[in-house]
Amino acid sequence: MRKLLLSAAALLAAMSVNAQVFQMDGEAHGLTSDLSNVEAGHAWGSIEGAVDISNAFETQHKLVDNKIDDFTKVVIDGNEIITKGGVQGNDNPKDADGGNSAATFKEAVSGAVIQLDVKKDGWIYIVAKLSTNKQYMVFEEGLPIGYKIAMENNDERIPDGVLNLEIKGSGEFNNLTLDQYPNGLMWVLREFLGDAEAATAGNGLGVFYFPVAKDCKYLAHATGSKITWCGVYFSETEAKHVSVEGEGVARTLINSGDTWTVAGVKPLCDNSWDPADVKAEMQTSDGVIYTYTKSDIVLEKGTSYEFKVVKGHAWGEEYPGQNFSFDVEETAKYKVTITFNSETKDIDIDVVKTGDAEAAEHIYSVIGTINGNWDVDTDMTKGADGLYSAVFQGVKAGDYKFKVRVDHDWSVSFPGSDYALKVENDGATVTITFNEATKEVKATVSSADGIQILKALTNVAVIYNLAGQRVDANYKGVVVVNGQKNIQK
């Protein structure tokens, strides 16, 4: 037996990768939803020059759809394996003594087992409907070896719904031993949590995978139940990106590249301008093209929606320099898909109407130094003319800044930059109005003698620190002004 363990140096040194897919088509093998007998050695298919895939032992199989939670395919470094057309065996794998291979570490001699005759060094990924109450086993030339598993699952104890587990062997060939695992392997969930009492079971879609060597035979199966699988992926090096995807949904299982997140206004993001929000993390299949989709959100005509694409869940590298801004021609429900090319830094957006909606009733408020500080909102009142207004009396002479914001949140505010207002004399009355239809903000100053002066809009840039917090001109350090980073000394 000879086995090549691929090191990090080997991965970096690889100049080209031969990656290939075997897509299971159960119907082509005469399978239906009813059980049918499949002989030992039956050839499921092959990946040319890399691996032959067959049924190890005589057993019954049936046709299944591996779809889980609306995920209909697994994408590995840009290569798709569709869940439909998969197969499920009927017989539990047993060793020669009738025992559970995951407990005895003895190779199975019966049951639903995949045989892989490998012709080239590399990595094998078996795409399957995985269960947290199973133990998955791989034997290389009769000896059990360690493997890795990545699956989506909605158990509340699994962070972000992605279970990544490595079953580590020992020695040069990564073999599993009873010295290392005296009681054999536990369920996947128990191994993941490190808790032998964790008994909750759940299904998920994903991969279990392991390095393989030329001219070696591998048996792979699930113990505690039967394996349900839909394809095999072969690559000369370990995959960098694995995701499960479906219509409008995606979840990254493995990502050894960069992380990119959309940070922007509500309702585009659940948390406005928060790059640490994992729910706004973009998905990728190849480490180059990243996407983020938000479905059935209400967007309103006349409102500008802004965002940036941020690297690594923290401000520091983000695109574009100025905020990306878009609007819609009618108030309705929309599906928004943002696409980001991490190499060119290009951003594309696709906005598709998905249903009718009415504009929501909003609270409009004035916030700024006209209130005393930027932490106080003064709610505006809607008049018979449809305009919203707020009145400030006894205002002292001085320079003031303010904005009108929506629902006491900084996601949407008007005008784009601060409204700068100068009051010439003490005791003035300042009336601020907002037109919901046109988004126009006006300020009128009435002096103590009753003379009214309409103050023209003066835009003043809004300043943020690198944490996304609003600061003023007295702040010292790196700031973001109109999407550009500057240093205030």
Side-chain angles (χ1 to χ4, degrees):
M1 177 180 69
R2 184 179 70 84
K3 180 173 182 178
L4 173 65
L5 294 179
L6 298 176
S7 65
L11 295 179
L12 292 174
M15 298 303 293
S16 64
V17 176
N18 182 11
Q20 300 174 70
V21 167
F22 165 69
Q23 175 70 61
M24 173 58 81
D25 181 358
E27 288 188 8
H29 294 269
L31 297 179
T32 68
S33 57
D34 296 323
L35 289 169
S36 301
N37 193 64
V38 179
E39 296 180 350
H42 174 80
W44 294 119
S46 66
I47 296 174
E48 185 176 358
V51 59
D52 292 330
I53 307 158
S54 61
N55 183 46
F57 311 112
E58 182 175 357
T59 185
Q60 292 181 313
H61 279 77
K62 63 181 178 180
L63 181 69
V64 294
D65 185 348
N66 284 12
K67 174 183 174 182
I68 289 285
D69 295 339
D70 293 327
F71 296 117
T72 58
K73 61 184 175 182
V74 174
V75 184
I76 308 175
D77 283 348
N79 299 276
E80 295 184 356
I81 294 180
I82 308 301
T83 61
K84 189 175 182 180
V87 298
Q88 179 180 355
N90 187 53
D91 300 317
N92 230 326
K94 299 292 184 181
D95 64 24
D97 299 318
N100 180 344
S101 295
T104 66
F105 286 173
K106 295 178 182 179
E107 188 177 53
V109 297
S110 65
V113 177
I114 305 169
Q115 180 169 320
L116 305 157
D117 293 291
V118 175
K119 303 176 182 179
K120 183 185 294 186
D121 297 328
W123 286 77
I124 288 286
Y125 290 72
I126 297 176
V127 177
K129 181 186 290 185
L130 303 169
S131 298
T132 57
N133 64 335
K134 291 185 177 71
Q135 306 110 324
Y136 293 86
M137 293 297 296
V138 181
F139 286 83
E140 179 190 62
E141 296 292 326
L143 296 176
I145 62 171
Y147 59 85
K148 298 180 183 180
I149 192 167
M151 64 182 290
E152 63 89 15
N153 194 276
N154 291 324
D155 191 293
E156 61 183 9
R157 292 166 294 181
I158 299 175
D160 303 326
V162 176
L163 185 154
N164 274 277
L165 175 67
E166 181 177 2
I167 300 296
K168 294 182 179 180
S170 60
E172 181 181 0
F173 300 123
N174 195 31
N175 291 123
L176 303 180
T177 67
L178 289 175
D179 288 337
Q180 186 179 7
Y181 297 93
N183 300 311
L185 295 181
M186 297 187 292
W187 290 2
V188 167
L189 185 63
R190 291 174 176 176
E191 292 283 359
F192 177 78
L193 296 174
D195 179 3
E197 301 303 318
T200 304
N203 291 323
L205 182 63
V207 294
F208 72 103
Y209 58 106
F210 43 92
V212 295
K214 180 180 179 181
D215 298 329
C216 286
K217 180 183 78 173
Y218 297 82
L219 298 185
H221 58 83
T223 60
S225 188
K226 288 73 66 178
I227 191 166
T228 302
W229 62 289
C230 56
V232 174
Y233 173 84
F234 174 85
S235 177
E236 292 180 1
T237 59
E238 190 170 0
K240 294 183 178 179
H241 301 274
V242 179
S243 61
V244 289
E245 301 180 11
E247 182 60 35
V249 292
R251 179 175 285 167
T252 297
L253 303 183
I254 300 169
N255 180 17
S256 59
D258 294 326
T259 299
W260 294 92
T261 302
V262 174
V265 301
K266 294 180 179 179
L268 191 60
C269 300
D270 290 341
N271 298 309
S272 60
W273 296 106
D274 181 9
D277 184 4
V278 296
K279 291 180 290 185
E281 187 173 301
M282 307 186 81
Q283 304 295 317
T284 182
S285 298
D286 58 10
V288 178
I289 304 300
Y290 290 75
T291 59
Y292 171 75
T293 300
K294 192 77 169 176
S295 299
D296 288 331
I297 57 174
V298 177
L299 303 180
E300 298 183 15
K301 179 181 179 180
T303 298
S304 178
Y305 297 94
E306 299 185 346
F307 67 89
K308 288 182 179 291
V309 175
V310 185
K311 183 178 181 179
H313 284 300
W315 296 110
E317 182 179 347
E318 55 274 341
Y319 302 94
Q322 300 283 348
N323 291 344
F324 193 107
S325 178
F326 71 97
D327 54 27
V328 294
E329 295 183 354
E330 65 172 312
T331 297
K333 289 183 179 180
Y334 291 89
K335 175 183 175 182
V336 179
T337 302
I338 298 168
T339 303
F340 174 67
N341 186 315
S342 62
E343 292 183 348
T344 65
K345 308 304 187 279
D346 290 335
I347 297 174
D348 293 315
I349 188 167
D350 183 41
V351 182
V352 179
K353 180 182 175 181
T354 58
D356 295 325
E358 297 290 335
E361 288 290 333
H362 294 295
I363 299 172
Y364 296 101
S365 61
V366 176
I367 187 169
T369 57
I370 193 72
N371 290 0
N373 59 62
W374 287 96
D375 296 323
V376 177
D377 283 278
T378 298
D379 290 349
M380 307 182 83
T381 301
K382 189 175 184 179
D385 57 1
L387 297 179
Y388 288 80
S389 64
V391 179
F392 300 87
Q393 296 179 331
V395 179
K396 294 182 179 180
D399 294 315
Y400 298 92
K401 298 175 185 176
F402 68 88
K403 293 176 78 73
V404 173
R405 68 174 183 169
V406 183
D407 297 331
H408 298 163
D409 187 88
W410 283 116
S411 288
V412 181
S413 59
F414 306 96
S417 298
D418 292 346
Y419 196 124
L421 175 71
K422 187 175 184 66
V423 175
E424 303 290 348
N425 302 302
D426 290 344
T429 297
V430 176
T431 302
I432 297 170
T433 60
F434 174 69
N435 187 317
E436 185 178 30
T438 66
K439 314 306 181 189
E440 184 181 18
V441 179
K442 292 183 179 179
T444 302
V445 177
S446 299
S447 61
D449 58 11
I451 298 175
Q452 291 190 343
I453 304 171
L454 178 63
K455 291 292 184 176
L457 170 65
T458 302
N459 284 325
V460 177
V462 183
I463 306 171
Y464 297 93
N465 62 19
L466 291 182
Q469 299 167 324
R470 185 179 178 129
V471 296
D472 60 24
N474 296 318
Y475 180 86
K476 308 298 182 184
V478 180
V479 296
V480 178
V481 183
N482 292 330
Q484 301 289 339
K485 284 186 284 189
N486 301 299
I487 298 177
Q488 287 191 162
K489 300 180 179 179

